[in-house]
Amino acid sequence: MADKLAIQADSLKKIYGKDNTEIVAMKDATMDVAYGEIVALLGPSGSGKSTFLTAVGLINPPTSGQIKIGGQLVLNGSQPMVNLKYFRKKYLGFVFQKSNLIPFLSARENVQIALEINGYSPQDSSKRALEIMNELAIGDRADNFPSMLSGGQQQRVSICRALSNEPDVILADEPTAALDSHLGRQVMELFRDISHKRGTAVIVVTHDQRSLDVFDTVYEMEDGVIKLRQEIS
Amino acid sequence: MNLAIKDIRHNLGRFVLTAIGIGMLLMIVMGMGGIYRGISDDATLLIDNIGADIWIVQHNTRGPFAELSRIPQNLVYRAMVIPGVATARSFVQHTIQRQNNIGKQLRMTIVGLDWPIDKGEWVVLESGRILNQNHYEMIADTSLGLNLGEKIKLGKNTYTVVGITSSMISSGGDGIGFFTIQDALDIQLDKTGEAVRLDRVSRSNRVKKNDLGLKQPNLIELASQKSSQLPGLARPEISSVILKLKPGANLKQVENIIEGWKDVSIFTSNGERQLLLKGTVEKVRKQIGLFRILLTIISAIIMALILYTLTLEKLHSIALLKLIGASNWVVLKLILQEALILGVSGYCIAYILGKKIFPNFPRRVILSNDDLFQLAIIVLIISVISSLLGVWKAMQVTPNEALN
C-alpha cells in the first residue's frame, strides 16, 4: 500500500509564537492518502484543519514531523528537502473556500495561466484549458470574467485550474462553504469523479456533513489531532 | 499570457483616466522644455537670420540685445571701407507699447532695416512682400495680430502692413515689426508739436545767452529752425552697425581693425548670440530647468503612488499566482510592464495634447526631437523607478495570503 500512497503526513506539529505567546495549532497529525482516494477532513473552527492543509500544501511548513508526496520526503520538520515551489507547481492543486480566481482574467485565462506557469505554450495551454473546462461542463462560460459567473461556476473554474497541470494531489479548503446544498453536492461529486477517474488523491476540508457519502475516508480533527472517523471503502 | 495587458483591459476606464492624468503632468514637463527652447530660439532667431558676421556696438556695451547701444549713423561709412567688408548696414531695435486701431494694447519690438541695402529679403514671409519704399511700410509678425494691408498709426505717421512673417519674436517675447531705419527712428524719437516748439524755444534761448549768439544774432533765428536743418546737431543715433564679409575675407583681420577704434566694441554673430543666451535667457533657462526637475520628481512620486495602489489591489491575485507556482519574475513583469505601459501611454497623451494645446500659448513652445527623446528616456526611467515600491510590496507577498 505504501508504494501507492500519494501523501504521507507523519506526526505533524505546528507551533506559532514563542514562550507566553506559544500556540499549538497542530500536534501529532498523521494521515495517509492513496492515489485515487478522496478523503474528508472534518472538525470545528480552530481545530487545525487549515494548518494541516497548508502544511501538506507546502505553503506553511510544520514545526516538526515529516511529509512525503509520492513517496518522496519533501519536508522534514520545517526543513525543505526539495524545491517547494517547483513541487507545489508540479504535484499539487488547490481549491479554496472562495473560488479565488484572478478577477482580471477570464475563466479560460484563469485555467490557462496555471498551465503557462507549468511551461505550456500559450497556444497549447489555451487549448488544454478549454478541454478541461468542457470536461467539467463549464466550457460555455470560458470567456466570462469571474464576476459574471455564479459561485458554483466559479468553483468549477477553480477546480479546472487545480486540475490543469494534472496534479497528484488536490487540496480543497471548504470548497462548498459559499455554495447552496445542491451546488455543494455537485462539487463534492465532481471531486469524487476526478479522484476515482484520474487517480488523484483529494483531501477536502469541510463542514458539510450531508455529502460525506461521496468520500472514501472521513477524518476528524480536534485540538490539532487527526482521528479516523469512517472508512467507507 | 501578458498579465499586465489583461489587467489593463479589465480596468480600462480607470487606466485611461490614470494615463490621462500622468499624460497631463508629462505634458507640463514637456511644455517646460518647449518653453525654454522657444525662448532660446526666439531670442536668437533675429541674429541667426539677419546674416551678419560682425556687430559693431557702442563702446563697452554688449549690443542691442543685451543693453542700450547708441552709435552714430555715419559709422556705416567708416565700416564700409574696411578691406574684406561686403556690406555694412545700420541696425535699430527698440520696443514700443501703444494702442492699436481698435484700442487694444500693441507691444512690438521695432527693428529698423537699412533700406535699400536691406529691404527685409532675409525675413521669411508668410504672405505679402518685402519693403518697397523708404517710408510708411512695415512687415509684421503674426503674433502682433495685424493683417496684410492694415494701416497702423505710430507717432505722426501711418504705416501699412505689406508683409506678414511668423516666429519673429524678440528675446522679450514681443512680436517684431520691421520698418526702414528712418521710420524706426521716427517712431522711437517721435515728439508732439508742442514738445518740438518748446525744444526750439529752448534752443534759441540757449543761443541768446551764449557769447556766439550775441556776436552773431542770425544764429538765434537759425536755432529755432528744424533740427534736421542744423548742421551742428548730429543725426539720431542707431543701435549698431552690422557687417557682412566678402567670401574668403579674414574675420580676424577685420576684427583687429575695428578693435583699434576706441569708440566702439565689436562682437561676432556667435559672440552676440552667446551674450544673449547667457544674459537674457540664462535666468529663464535656470528657472524653467529647476521647475522642470521638480515636476519630473513630482510625476515620479505620483506614478509610484499610483503603481503602488494598483499593486495593493492585486496582492491577493499575486499571492494566488505564487501559490500556483508563478516565479517572482512573472509578478515583477506584471508590475513593470504595467508601469511602462502607463509611462508610454502618458507620454503619448502628453505629446498629442501638447501638439494641440501649445500652439495656443502666447509664446512659442518648441518640441524639439532631442528634447522629446530625452523626455522619453526620462519617462522610461521614471516608470521603472516608480514601479520599485510596488515590486517591493509584491515580493513581500507569500502564497499563504491567497488563503485568507
Side-chain angles (χ1 to χ4, degrees):
Chain A
M1 183 81 180
D3 58 338
K4 290 184 181 173
L5 286 179
I7 299 169
Q8 292 166 277
D10 186 18
S11 308
L12 301 186
K13 188 174 185 180
K14 180 72 183 180
I15 300 170
Y16 292 106
K18 270 184 178 177
D19 302 327
N20 293 340
T21 59
E22 188 178 287
I23 295 168
V24 180
M26 183 169 66
K27 53 186 174 190
D28 198 26
T30 300
M31 181 192 282
D32 289 345
V33 185
Y35 287 103
E37 182 183 8
I38 176 167
V39 304
L41 182 59
L42 305 176
S45 292
S47 60
K49 301 187 302 291
S50 294
T51 305
F52 175 76
L53 207 68
T54 53
V56 173
L58 311 181
I59 299 166
N60 187 17
T63 311
S64 64
Q66 283 191 340
I67 296 173
K68 288 181 183 173
I69 293 179
Q72 187 175 356
L73 181 63
V74 290
L75 270 172
N76 190 6
S78 59
Q79 187 67 37
M81 308 305 288
V82 293
N83 181 337
L84 295 184
K85 188 189 274 186
Y86 171 78
F87 223 79
R88 206 164 50 222
K89 184 167 74 172
K90 189 83 181 163
Y91 297 106
L92 303 180
F94 296 89
V95 180
F96 309 97
Q97 179 178 344
K98 288 183 285 178
S99 59
N100 258 342
L101 297 175
I102 296 172
F104 55 84
L105 299 180
S106 69
R108 182 186 194 156
E109 288 163 349
N110 263 285
V111 182
Q112 190 181 334
I113 187 73
L115 287 160
E116 283 190 22
I117 285 169
N118 272 288
Y120 283 77
S121 71
Q123 291 79 14
D124 289 347
S125 56
S126 175
K127 197 175 153 195
R128 170 108 182 95
L130 196 59
E131 280 170 13
I132 301 167
M133 293 180 80
N134 284 331
E135 215 174 303
L136 269 67
I138 190 75
D140 57 328
R141 308 306 298 267
D143 294 327
N144 291 150
F145 284 98
S147 59
M148 299 154 83
L149 301 174
S150 69
Q153 287 168 332
Q154 286 184 26
Q155 204 56 287
R156 270 176 189 272
V157 176
S158 181
I159 294 167
C160 289
R161 185 179 59 197
L163 284 176
S164 62
N165 60 336
E166 297 179 343
D168 290 348
V169 178
I170 289 182
L171 303 169
D173 190 4
E174 300 191 33
T176 59
L179 307 177
D180 62 38
S181 58
H182 177 67
L183 277 174
R185 174 89 197 172
Q186 275 189 355
V187 169
M188 291 300 194
E189 284 173 354
L190 189 61
F191 277 125
R192 185 190 57 197
D193 294 346
I194 290 164
S195 172
H196 290 175
K197 284 180 188 166
R198 293 171 178 252
T200 309
V202 180
I203 301 176
V204 180
V205 168
T206 182
H207 278 113
D208 191 353
Q209 304 273 348
R210 289 165 298 184
S211 304
L212 291 182
D213 58 301
V214 304
F215 294 98
D216 299 323
T217 315
V218 177
Y219 290 94
E220 195 159 5
M221 194 162 191
E222 201 171 336
D223 297 330
V225 180
I226 294 175
K227 294 171 191 163
L228 179 65
R229 177 169 151 179
Q230 185 184 4
E231 196 161 14
I232 294 167
S233 55
Chain B
M1 186 187 306
N2 190 313
L3 292 172
I5 298 279
K6 302 287 179 190
D7 185 34
I8 290 167
R9 175 195 64 180
H10 192 247
N11 299 298
L12 191 61
R14 192 181 58 178
F15 179 83
V16 168
L17 283 176
T18 309
I20 289 173
I22 296 283
M24 293 184 90
L25 254 178
L26 291 176
M27 182 189 74
I28 298 170
V29 177
M30 199 179 269
M32 285 287 155
I35 289 170
Y36 162 67
R37 195 63 64 193
I39 288 171
S40 157
D41 220 54
D42 287 348
T44 56
L45 199 67
L46 194 64
I47 297 174
D48 293 340
N49 283 12
I50 205 162
D53 294 316
I54 290 175
W55 293 73
I56 305 176
V57 301
Q58 184 180 339
H59 186 58
N60 277 344
T61 72
R62 299 287 177 266
F65 307 111
E67 56 183 311
L68 195 66
S69 164
R70 290 189 179 284
I71 53 173
Q73 286 191 37
N74 61 12
L75 199 72
V76 172
Y77 306 114
R78 255 207 281 170
M80 219 180 283
V81 295
I82 299 171
V85 171
T87 59
R89 288 177 277 162
S90 302
F91 178 84
V92 167
Q93 178 182 289
H94 56 93
T95 301
I96 59 162
Q97 186 166 336
R98 308 278 166 86
Q99 282 196 332
N100 68 7
N101 299 341
I102 54 166
K104 276 181 77 176
Q105 287 291 318
L106 175 70
R107 194 173 161 81
M108 168 166 56
T109 295
I110 288 178
V111 168
L113 304 177
D114 199 352
W115 199 92
I117 305 167
D118 182 359
K119 296 176 180 174
E121 293 91 341
W122 53 272
V123 179
V124 180
L125 293 175
E126 281 203 340
S127 59
R129 58 169 173 80
I130 55 175
L131 304 180
N132 274 357
Q133 58 186 50
N134 197 17
H135 284 296
Y136 317 127
E137 288 187 350
M138 69 176 287
I139 298 168
D141 183 75
T142 43
S143 64
L144 294 170
L146 299 170
N147 300 314
L148 199 63
E150 190 171 337
K151 292 182 187 304
I152 175 169
K153 190 166 169 53
L154 296 169
K156 294 182 189 64
N157 300 320
T158 300
Y159 301 89
T160 305
V161 178
V162 296
I164 297 287
T165 183
S166 66
S167 306
M168 294 304 279
I169 308 286
S170 72
S171 59
D174 304 309
I176 295 177
F178 295 92
F179 298 78
T180 62
I181 290 275
Q182 288 304 315
D183 287 346
L185 290 171
D186 276 353
I187 294 165
Q188 184 183 12
L189 306 172
D190 175 57
K191 286 181 180 173
T192 62
E194 183 62 14
V196 171
R197 273 191 294 279
L198 289 170
D199 251 6
R200 289 177 188 174
V201 171
S202 167
R203 217 159 42 221
S204 291
N205 287 341
R206 277 203 304 276
V207 176
K208 271 181 200 169
K209 290 174 189 168
N210 194 291
D211 210 25
L212 195 65
L214 294 171
K215 286 176 184 170
Q216 297 183 46
N218 59 329
L219 278 180
I220 299 169
E221 195 183 334
L222 269 172
S224 62
Q225 288 181 353
K226 284 181 181 177
S227 57
S228 60
Q229 291 175 354
L230 298 178
L233 291 180
R235 293 168 68 192
E237 290 176 313
I238 55 175
S239 305
S240 67
V241 169
I242 49 180
L243 306 183
K244 179 89 186 150
L245 302 189
K246 288 174 183 166
N250 187 332
L251 177 70
K252 195 69 204 161
Q253 205 170 8
V254 177
E255 274 185 299
N256 286 341
I257 292 170
I258 303 171
E259 273 166 1
W261 302 349
K262 298 301 176 196
D263 56 338
V264 293
S265 293
I266 62 162
F267 292 96
T268 60
S269 262
N270 194 41
E272 193 69 16
R273 197 172 192 278
Q274 289 308 316
L275 275 174
L276 190 63
L277 289 176
K278 290 204 172 114
T280 318
V281 181
E282 182 70 3
K283 280 183 186 162
V284 180
R285 186 183 73 81
K286 280 185 183 162
Q287 184 104 338
I288 291 173
L290 287 171
F291 200 51
R292 198 181 180 203
I293 290 169
L294 276 178
L295 273 171
T296 309
I297 293 169
I298 291 167
S299 307
I301 292 170
I302 290 175
M303 268 187 83
L305 286 174
I306 289 170
L307 289 165
Y308 184 66
T309 311
L310 290 174
T311 308
L312 285 185
E313 288 174 4
K314 284 195 286 286
L315 285 186
H316 192 261
S317 298
I318 289 168
L320 197 63
L321 284 168
K322 288 188 174 184
L323 183 67
I324 61 176
S327 62
N328 280 340
W329 172 240
V330 171
V331 177
L332 189 140
K333 222 166 53 173
L334 162 68
I335 298 167
L336 200 60
Q337 282 179 341
E338 216 159 283
L340 287 171
I341 292 169
L342 190 64
V344 170
S345 310
Y347 180 86
C348 292
I349 290 168
Y351 180 76
I352 293 164
L353 285 179
K355 278 278 180 188
K356 293 270 177 208
I357 294 171
F358 293 154
N360 301 314
F361 277 33
R363 289 202 66 164
R364 278 205 301 160
V365 181
I366 298 172
L367 302 179
S368 75
N369 288 340
D370 284 351
D371 288 351
L372 288 172
F373 181 71
Q374 188 191 54
L375 184 62
I377 299 292
I378 290 171
V379 168
L380 289 180
I381 294 169
I382 285 179
S383 303
V384 173
I385 291 173
S386 58
S387 69
L388 293 181
L389 195 61
V391 168
W392 170 79
K393 187 68 188 171
M395 291 301 119
Q396 309 297 311
V397 175
T398 59
N400 303 25
E401 289 170 51
L403 307 175
N404 299 330

